Amino acid sequence: MAGGMGGRLTIGIMQCFRRGLTEALAAFHAEHPRVELRLVQAPSLELLDRVAVGALDLAFACARTAPAGVHLTPLDDRSMVFACHAGHPLAQRAAVSLREAVEEDFVDYPPGWGSRTVVDATLAEHGLRRRLACEVGDTDTLLDLVAHGLGVALLPPSLDARHRDELQMIPLAPPAPTFPTAIVTPAGATSAAAGILLDTVLARQPAPAAR
C-alpha cells in the first residue's frame, strides 16, 4: 500500500501480560505507525472465543490447547508461584507444596481467567480442594488482598515483576501448575499486519526459562 501499511489491528490481552510483549507492540507501532492498534482486555477463555468469531485479529492468552476456530503459537509455559504476605508462616520457605498451599484461604480470579483455569485443573487432577476467601477481577486488587493477609494465591510467574515488600513470592514444589501463554490467531488466514506483529513478538522472545 502506498505510504506504508495501514488499517486497524484489534488485539486481545490478559491482565497477566507477559514481559516483553509491550516492547514488541511498541516496536511494531514504530515500524508501522499507520496501523491503529486497539487493545482489548478480557479473561483468556473470552479472548479465545472472540478470536474464533472474528471479533479480535489476534490475542495473547493463557492457553495450552486450541479450541475450534483458532490456532495457537506457544510463547512460554513456566511454573506458577505461591504468593503470601511477608508475615505468613510459609513466607520464608524455599518452596511450598500444593498440599501445604490448599490448607490456606485463597484469593483468586473468577472462573474463566487463565490462571484460575490452570489452578483448578491441577488441583482436581491431584484430588485437592481449597477454600476461596474471595474472587477479584483485577490483578492489583488481588495482590493487595494477598499482601494484607486475606489469603494466599497461586500466580503466573510474570507477576514477579510486581513484587512488593509486604508480598512474598515462593516457588512451588513439584507437581506445580504451569502457566502457558500463546498468541491466538484465527484458524484460517490472518491479515498481513497480524502476521507481521506475530513475527515481531516471536523475534523478541527470550530463551525458554528452565522449569
Side-chain angles (χ1 to χ4, degrees):
M1 178 182 288
M5 185 168 52
R8 171 191 286 179
L9 271 181
T10 305
I11 303 163
I13 61 173
M14 53 187 169
Q15 286 206 25
C16 300
F17 203 45
R18 189 175 186 273
R19 282 173 287 179
L21 295 184
T22 304
E23 290 83 352
L25 289 173
F28 176 90
H29 178 67
E31 186 70 22
H32 306 284
R34 295 184 63 245
V35 178
E36 177 189 350
L37 298 180
R38 181 173 180 265
L39 302 183
V40 178
Q41 194 172 66
S44 286
L45 289 181
E46 185 176 334
L47 294 175
L48 293 169
D49 290 340
R50 290 192 188 186
V51 172
V53 301
L56 295 173
D57 294 301
L58 73 164
F60 300 98
C62 172
R64 185 171 282 114
T65 57
V70 304
H71 173 76
L72 299 184
T73 302
L75 291 175
D76 200 4
D77 193 3
R78 293 191 293 154
S79 295
M80 299 179 73
V81 298
F82 176 84
C84 63
H85 71 91
H88 192 280
L90 297 175
Q92 302 307 314
R93 294 284 297 277
V96 174
S97 71
L98 288 178
R99 291 193 179 277
E100 291 172 316
V102 297
E103 296 300 318
E104 307 292 329
D105 290 333
F106 271 77
V107 181
D108 209 339
Y109 298 103
W113 293 72
S115 63
R116 171 69 181 268
T117 301
V118 168
V119 171
D120 284 351
T122 301
L123 295 181
E125 178 184 351
H126 293 92
L128 299 174
R129 297 173 64 88
R130 60 175 174 163
R131 300 183 301 274
L132 281 170
C134 51
E135 298 176 344
V136 292
D138 74 275
T139 298
D140 283 337
T141 299
L142 186 150
L143 294 177
D144 280 341
L145 292 171
V146 174
H148 287 85
L150 275 77
V152 303
L154 302 185
L155 299 175
S158 60
L159 293 186
D160 276 343
R162 305 190 194 186
H163 193 83
R164 309 170 185 202
D165 290 341
E166 66 273 22
L167 192 66
Q168 196 74 13
M169 302 281 197
I170 304 167
L172 281 165
T178 61
F179 188 76
T181 57
I183 305 174
V184 187
T185 50
T190 59
S191 69
I196 292 172
L197 176 57
L198 188 151
D199 290 340
T200 301
V201 172
L202 294 178
R204 291 172 172 267
Q205 292 306 296
R211 293 194 192 174

